[in-house]
């Protein structure tokens, strides 16, 4: 080793020891007779000291050469500091340097390597290796490391086996778009990168592996939204001979364990909510239950009073903002503007104040009496001082709009504390969802999800109403993961493919191996996949998953640091038997 | 859970307990009045018992329906067995079944699910999910699981950070062929799948991560040899502020720890050998040192005696097979045939017996006197009763041939016990190796490997003689891993690219980000990558890595189970802006 100690470990007890440290120059302070250098590594910062009255002039000269981010090796004696710094663990000592080597000089970095930096997003992405030197960035990846180790330790302890599933698999049209990999050996054919190891983990259950896990890279070639990455990491799990309850308990316990071990946070038992209730009460399948403000439906008290907007609406629904009756006109207008934004799409917002004096004041006073408004208030359980906010229209759209308004108010009112964690299971998702574009039903989770047996008769008559044995883990309004009890019966699987619009031939060609496997003794099984990037960012109290990925891609799926993707050589394309077919954009 | 216990845990102490087990039917024995079923799961086998004189007739009827590999759920009382079986851990008890459910029937599997099966390779690959049910196969993957956990535990304990590096990176022409991934968003451009996370782990060192590891999938689009897979797993590591000695010690200790923890085997300190000595003494850069039989060079005692074959040879080299002077003509001819095989390529083999009576007998007696042969024997340190085997020709080719012969004799003589482990570091590999095809030097390890400073002057005059700070870990003749101390200086890296035939522009385009990074304070660093599939197979005492991969590909890089790769749809190709360009084979 080029060092005897790292920059975070020396204490007063080490005084008089001869040590050698290595690291990066955080700062040089040259006060004429004395020079100090803060030397930084992953473990901390230690102060190096040079004294003109005692040091070898050559050593001091070298210290003065050292600029920010130079890599140094310094040997000397640990001495007690004259001016101690109780803000840093090594603050009681410094090193009186007798020997200094510049291991590598450094150009001035393009942004400050400090907790607060002056570098913009793009610059920091291009020089990601420098951004990773900053404590807050490195700490996020240390958290990720800790999470990975703890997840594995936990699951290993529960007899889960980690099994690596293949990365070069087969493309299947169901679901998101696959990344394809041309095969050179099998000309004209392609592998796909996995969107998840779904079928492989099910096969492992058929193999009797019983409990499987993997922390695994998955790939989706989607148009990127702010918080998506083309490659992402999942904690992927599957269990056999279980019921839904066993999966919920196992992974609830795992996440509680992680909170305790990694974050020293106690989270209680997870709440549970039916999908239908989540939609009705929060307008979302991933409600943030750190705060109440549940929806109240007002059709029976708000319709047929002559207000056409409500009368013509499928749903009149509102929320009650506690203590907000004092909102000014300007504040109310801002809320109206918020819901009218094109990405939210409401036409308007009706407000009604429950004044401190017990009277009501609303935007629609000419249609509604004080008694009418009192009836609204009762629906909300509103108290004097509260503000009721109402939207109306087509049910699903209105619920979505109201969900956005609720979350905004939650933020405005400081009800969404990132240090409070309220995990939730959302249960009994629909099996199928209607896709407008293709004008057919798609699997809401995936085609391997089992339907509730009691709902099966509706599969032909009212497919959208059939519920699945599917569940999502939601924390603070963020979907952390989801899973289902799978189909383990060939006929049921064939029925499902049929309802998803597969011909028998298509089903057989794409998933024949799985259906065959079901005929050779497939046990009941189910599982879950948790978004690992997202779980880490949740633990770290951040909104962005990108911060928790060492080398992320930007919103155009580019790695701007290494400049990938990039053109292939003609020789490579010939080897792969493909040609470019890029059309000029018109 | 559908069970209260697994099939491996019940003992006599559980007698009288009511339990529920689930699993697969291993065997049904129907003796008329009594039926027994061996129920199997990952944890073991438990015997179910049905008795016509006591059981519900409906339950017995169901037991009689159950065929091999049916999935059952059986409830009943644990009872002491009349005829105990001390070969199985549950052999003292059986379950008197009061309730039996067939969870899933099974077709007759295409091969026996037994330790010894009747299925051929191809059939077992197609039904890999059934092959994985067999104990010996599952145990290999359990070993792999245990290895993964233990590697991580160990490295985590040594402050190594696990960091996931990207899978969608940039293609670089150096080294093996990349798998390419067309980008849909960046039309006409391609990602490459990593052959290793080499540049990323070096950047992490520049970032100050100090100690990095990852157990990571890597990809190489090579024509497959028997024991290669297009996707494989590496234990990938890098350390900063270290010297070669630190890497050797760290990973030697890790592998010793794994042997102890996972295999309960003590392996001593690793031997060390110069690359040049390995080639000279064993004709291989991965010598199997479980046995001696080192090469002896005979030029000075075997040339100029009138035997033209030797006289015209660059090298005359032999090995001594202890106690083999009694080999018959037939055995000697078989050895000659062995070295003459086209894949070995020797023209012939000279043998000389050191008879028990102290005389010599050789195939070339007319050229060599007893004294001459005695001189050979002295070179070998041969004793009466030994057999000397000599090859001659061009140095490198002859060494390779002799290496093959030595290994064959090691096998024949039982000197290569798979339960004996002799790890070895091979040190000081050449920096460059001449490539006949491209008529230029290639990096022997990779272009980021640092040369020995003292050899640098030869870079222009005798490039092939420059040694690198590069090392391989070899166990029992198998290369388990390799690594190097890296270049951390821009100018040195540029010099290296120049010598590898890169123009400045090519170097900048492909590796500019790394050379830039070296200018911002890159610490001295180095690392290693161990082949995880191979390490597992070594621990498991097997030759084949495929057995240690859950879902391997065959020698045509196909997954015959899921049938991948497969044709892409036209829509997919249009999305990716590529066209097929498959030429008909003539």
């Amino acid at each position: 080793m080029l060092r005897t100690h790292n920059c975070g470990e020396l204490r007063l007890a080490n005084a008089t020891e001869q040590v050698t440290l290595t690291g990066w120059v955080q700062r040089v302070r040259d006060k004429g007779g004395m020079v100090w250098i803060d030397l930084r590594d992953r473990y901390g910062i230690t102060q190096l000291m040079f004294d003109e009255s005692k040091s070898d002039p050559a050593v001091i000269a070298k210290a003065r050469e050292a600029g920010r981010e130079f890599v140094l090796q310094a040997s000397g004696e640990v001495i007690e500091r004259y001016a101690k710094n109780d803000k840093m663990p090594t603050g009681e000592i410094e090193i009186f340097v007798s020997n200094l080597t510049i291991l590598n000089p450094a150009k001035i970095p393009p942004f400050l390597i400090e907790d607060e930096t002056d570098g913009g997003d793009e610059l920091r992405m291009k020089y990601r290796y420098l951004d990773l030197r900053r404590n807050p960035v490195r700490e996020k990846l240390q958290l990720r490391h800790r999470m990975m180790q703890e997840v594995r330790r936990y699951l290993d302890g529960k007899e889960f086996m980690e099994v690596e599933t293949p990365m070069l698999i087969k493309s299947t049209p169901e679901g998101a778009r696959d990344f394809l990999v041309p095969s050179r050996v099998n000309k004209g054919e392609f592998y796909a990168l996995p969107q998840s190891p779904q079928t492989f983990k099910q096969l492992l259950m058929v193999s009797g592996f019983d409990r499987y896990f993997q922390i695994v890279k998955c790939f989706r070639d989607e148009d990127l939204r702010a918080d998506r990455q083309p490659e992402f990491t999942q904690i992927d799990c599957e269990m056999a001979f279980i019921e839904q309850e066993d999966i919920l308990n196992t992974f609830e316990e795992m996440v509680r364990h992680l909170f305790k071990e990694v974050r020293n946070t106690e989270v209680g038992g997870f709440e549970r909510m039916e999908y239908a209730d989540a939609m009705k009460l929060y307008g979302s399948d991933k409600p943030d239950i750190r705060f109440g403000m549940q929806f109240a439906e007002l059709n029976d008290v708000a319709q047929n009073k002559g207000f056409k907007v409500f009368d013509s609406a499928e749903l009149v629904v509102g929320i009650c903002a506690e203590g907000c009756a004092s909102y000014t006109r300007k504040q109310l207008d801002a809320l109206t503007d918020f819901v009218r934004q094109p990405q939210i799409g409401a036409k308007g917002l009706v407000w009604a104040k429950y004044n401190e004096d017990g009277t009501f004041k609303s935007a629609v006073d000419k249609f509604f009496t004080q008694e009418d408004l009192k009836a609204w208030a009762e629906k909300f359980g509103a108290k004097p001082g509260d503000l009721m906010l109402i939207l109306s229209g087509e049910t699903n759209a209105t619920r979505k709009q109201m969900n956005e308004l609720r979350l905004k108010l939650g933020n405005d009112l400081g009800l969404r504390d990132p240090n409070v964690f309220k995990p939730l299971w959302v249960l009994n998702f629909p099996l199928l969802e209607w896709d407008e574009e293709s004008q057919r039903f798609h699997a809401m989770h995936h085609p391997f999800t089992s339907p509730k047996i009691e709902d099966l008769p509706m599969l032909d008559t009212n497919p959208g109403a059939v519920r699945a044995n599917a569940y999502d883990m939601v924390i603070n309004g963020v979907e952390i993961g989801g899973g289902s009890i799978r189909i383990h019966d060939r006929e049921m699987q064939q029925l499902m493919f049929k309802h998803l619009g597969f011909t028998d031939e298509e089903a057989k060609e794409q998933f024949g191996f799985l259906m065959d496997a079901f005929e050779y003794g497939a046990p009941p099984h189910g599982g879950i996949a948790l978004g690992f990037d997202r779980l880490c960012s949740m633990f770290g109290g951040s909104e962005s998953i990108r911060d928790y990925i060492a080398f992320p891609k930007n919103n155009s799926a580019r790695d701007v640091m290494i400049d990938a993707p990039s053109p292939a050589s003609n020789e490579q394309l010939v080897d792969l038997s493909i040609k470019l077919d890029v059309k000029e954009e018109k």
Side-chain angles (χ1 to χ4, degrees), chain A:
Chain A
M1 297 290 298
L2 300 183
R3 65 189 176 212
T4 58
H5 294 76
N6 65 49
C7 293
E9 64 181 316
L10 292 170
R11 299 289 181 274
L12 201 49
N14 301 100
T16 78
E17 285 179 28
Q18 286 294 323
V19 300
T20 302
L21 300 185
T22 54
W24 286 261
V25 173
Q26 183 71 37
R27 201 166 30 154
V28 182
R29 273 162 303 151
D30 190 340
K31 302 278 181 193
M34 305 277 287
V35 179
W36 288 276
I37 294 178
D38 282 350
L39 194 68
R40 185 197 72 231
D41 67 10
R42 165 185 153 195
Y43 308 94
I45 286 182
T46 298
Q47 182 166 289
L48 308 179
M49 188 268 276
F50 307 80
D51 182 343
E52 274 194 353
S53 68
K54 299 183 209 156
S55 297
D56 178 344
V59 172
I60 297 215
K62 205 165 270 177
R64 287 189 164 126
E65 269 177 52
R68 265 169 52 203
E69 302 303 320
F70 272 49
V71 186
L72 304 184
Q73 181 187 43
S75 299
E77 187 184 338
V78 181
I79 59 174
E80 184 168 0
R81 265 209 226 181
Y82 180 72
K84 297 196 172 55
N85 178 348
D86 61 10
K87 298 228 169 54
M88 51 197 283
T90 63
E92 294 194 303
I93 57 99
E94 60 191 351
I95 312 298
F96 175 64
V97 178
S98 50
N99 225 318
L100 186 69
T101 307
I102 294 178
L103 294 173
N104 217 344
K107 294 202 296 195
I108 307 259
F111 50 87
L112 283 174
I113 312 292
E114 308 265 4
D115 290 4
E116 297 293 327
T117 184
D118 55 352
D121 247 20
E122 219 159 306
L123 201 60
R124 289 189 291 117
M125 286 279 273
K126 181 166 161 62
Y127 295 94
R128 179 68 174 169
Y129 50 88
L130 295 179
D131 205 27
L132 287 170
R133 280 190 195 160
R134 296 171 52 233
N135 288 326
V137 182
R138 197 196 57 246
E139 283 160 8
K140 287 182 174 64
L141 291 166
Q142 278 172 328
L143 170 70
R144 187 179 176 108
H145 164 77
R146 185 53 38 226
M147 294 277 280
M148 294 185 96
Q149 310 313 313
E150 211 45 56
V151 166
R152 291 208 195 81
R153 207 184 304 266
Y154 184 83
L155 292 173
D156 181 33
K158 302 277 179 200
E159 307 230 50
F160 281 79
M161 259 178 80
E162 188 172 4
V163 180
E164 291 157 272
T165 51
M167 290 281 138
L168 295 171
I169 66 166
K170 183 171 173 160
S171 182
T172 56
E174 186 68 16
R177 212 182 274 107
D178 285 323
F179 280 104
L180 296 189
V181 183
S183 167
R184 179 180 56 86
V185 181
N186 302 278
K187 293 201 185 307
E189 299 192 325
F190 295 78
Y191 303 98
L193 300 178
Q195 297 184 31
S196 95
Q198 184 61 35
T199 51
F200 291 99
K201 68 177 175 173
Q202 291 192 243
L203 290 177
L204 287 173
M205 295 304 107
V206 176
S207 299
F209 275 48
D210 204 84
R211 296 178 167 213
Y212 143 93
F213 85 98
Q214 192 181 187
I215 302 184
V216 61
K217 275 280 174 78
C218 299
F219 303 84
R220 265 182 218 172
D221 185 10
E222 289 180 301
D223 296 315
L224 299 183
R225 287 183 266 152
D227 206 25
R228 285 273 177 102
Q229 287 279 318
E231 50 177 304
F232 55 97
T233 304
Q234 273 187 195
I235 307 173
D236 192 52
C237 304
E238 197 80 1
M239 301 171 81
F241 299 117
I242 46 76
E243 293 165 302
Q244 176 168 308
E245 197 58 28
D246 301 305
I247 306 263
L248 302 186
N249 290 336
T250 302
F251 292 96
E252 176 171 333
E253 207 187 303
M254 181 183 86
V255 169
R256 267 209 304 272
H257 171 86
L258 288 174
F259 269 108
K260 183 79 193 96
E261 286 298 314
V262 178
R263 216 186 174 281
N264 199 23
T265 301
E266 296 280 358
V267 297
F270 287 22
E271 283 193 37
R272 293 179 180 203
M273 195 181 293
E274 297 271 319
Y275 169 87
D277 290 335
M279 297 310 291
K280 192 179 167 74
L281 297 173
Y282 298 94
S284 167
D285 60 0
K286 39 177 193 280
D288 183 348
I289 57 167
R290 278 175 297 183
F291 65 109
M293 226 184 271
Q294 289 183 352
F295 297 2
E297 299 191 350
L298 304 179
N299 293 37
D300 58 343
V301 292
Q303 289 184 322
N304 305 316
K305 302 283 178 179
F307 182 45
K308 281 218 179 117
V309 173
F310 283 1
D311 290 354
S312 64
E314 188 182 358
L315 177 70
V316 182
V317 65
I319 54 174
C320 171
E322 253 186 87
C324 296
S326 56
Y327 266 31
T328 61
R329 186 77 215 181
K330 199 171 154 192
Q331 285 175 299
L332 294 169
D333 286 350
L335 292 179
T336 305
D337 290 346
F338 174 82
V339 298
R340 276 181 166 161
Q341 294 173 94
Q343 65 268 39
I344 295 184
K347 294 222 177 65
L349 174 68
V350 171
W351 55 265
K353 292 176 172 180
Y354 194 166
N355 295 319
E356 294 286 359
D357 65 3
T359 64
F360 292 91
K361 169 76 192 143
S362 88
V364 287
D365 277 348
K366 70 172 155 171
F367 300 106
F368 298 95
T369 64
Q370 292 283 309
E371 282 66 44
D372 290 338
L373 297 174
K374 174 102 188 161
W376 295 13
E378 276 161 17
K379 289 274 184 186
F380 288 115
K383 305 176 308 299
D386 291 353
L387 172 68
M388 299 177 280
L389 296 164
I390 297 105
L391 293 170
S392 61
E394 187 271 324
T395 300
N396 289 339
T398 308
R399 283 176 172 168
K400 271 189 197 148
Q401 294 156 8
M402 187 52 90
N403 168 52
E404 298 290 342
L405 180 61
R406 175 179 174 270
L407 293 177
K408 179 194 164 42
L409 278 164
N411 286 334
D412 289 356
L413 300 173
L415 303 174
R416 305 182 73 191
D417 180 346
N419 289 308
V420 170
F421 296 92
K422 291 282 184 196
L424 168 73
W425 287 112
V426 179
L427 304 174
N428 301 337
F429 272 74
L431 182 69
L432 302 168
E433 100 191 300
W434 181 253
D435 183 59
E436 281 298 333
E437 201 183 315
S438 57
Q439 287 288 304
R440 63 177 181 85
F441 280 101
H442 282 254
M444 190 149 183
H445 187 50
H446 55 50
F448 316 108
T449 299
S450 66
K452 297 244 175 242
I453 295 299
E454 61 269 33
D455 291 356
L456 264 185
M458 291 190 290
L459 205 46
D460 285 312
T461 54
N462 185 10
V466 176
R467 292 167 306 157
N469 295 308
Y471 33 82
D472 272 3
M473 184 189 287
V474 173
I475 307 180
N476 293 1
V478 175
E479 182 197 328
I480 293 297
S484 62
I485 302 300
R486 325 299 183 189
I487 296 165
H488 63 282
D489 175 277
R490 183 182 185 118
E491 289 188 13
M492 176 69 81
Q493 190 64 68
Q494 269 173 325
L495 181 71
M496 201 50 51
F497 284 133
K498 199 183 119 213
H499 278 273
L500 294 169
F502 287 65
T503 65
D504 278 359
E505 291 68 40
E506 285 168 347
K508 196 174 151 69
E509 194 200 314
Q510 289 164 35
F511 299 110
F513 62 96
L514 186 66
M515 291 192 291
D516 286 350
F518 287 168
E519 294 192 299
Y520 287 105
H525 62 285
I528 196 166
L530 305 178
F532 186 63
D533 308 300
R534 203 166 296 284
L535 189 64
C536 290
S537 74
M538 168 74 51
F539 269 62
S542 163
E543 298 273 305
S544 161
I545 63 167
R546 199 189 277 176
D547 295 349
Y548 292 79
I549 295 172
F551 298 101
K553 294 194 172 51
N554 74 7
N555 284 351
S556 317
R558 289 200 77 80
D559 183 324
V560 296
M561 180 184 72
I562 63 170
D563 192 24
S566 59
S569 72
N570 196 45
E571 199 185 341
Q572 285 177 307
L573 298 183
V574 168
D575 267 356
L576 297 176
S577 307
I578 57 173
K579 268 201 265 198
L580 294 188
D581 184 29
V582 181
K583 314 258 182 318
E584 295 295 318
E585 303 286 335
K586 278 165 210 158

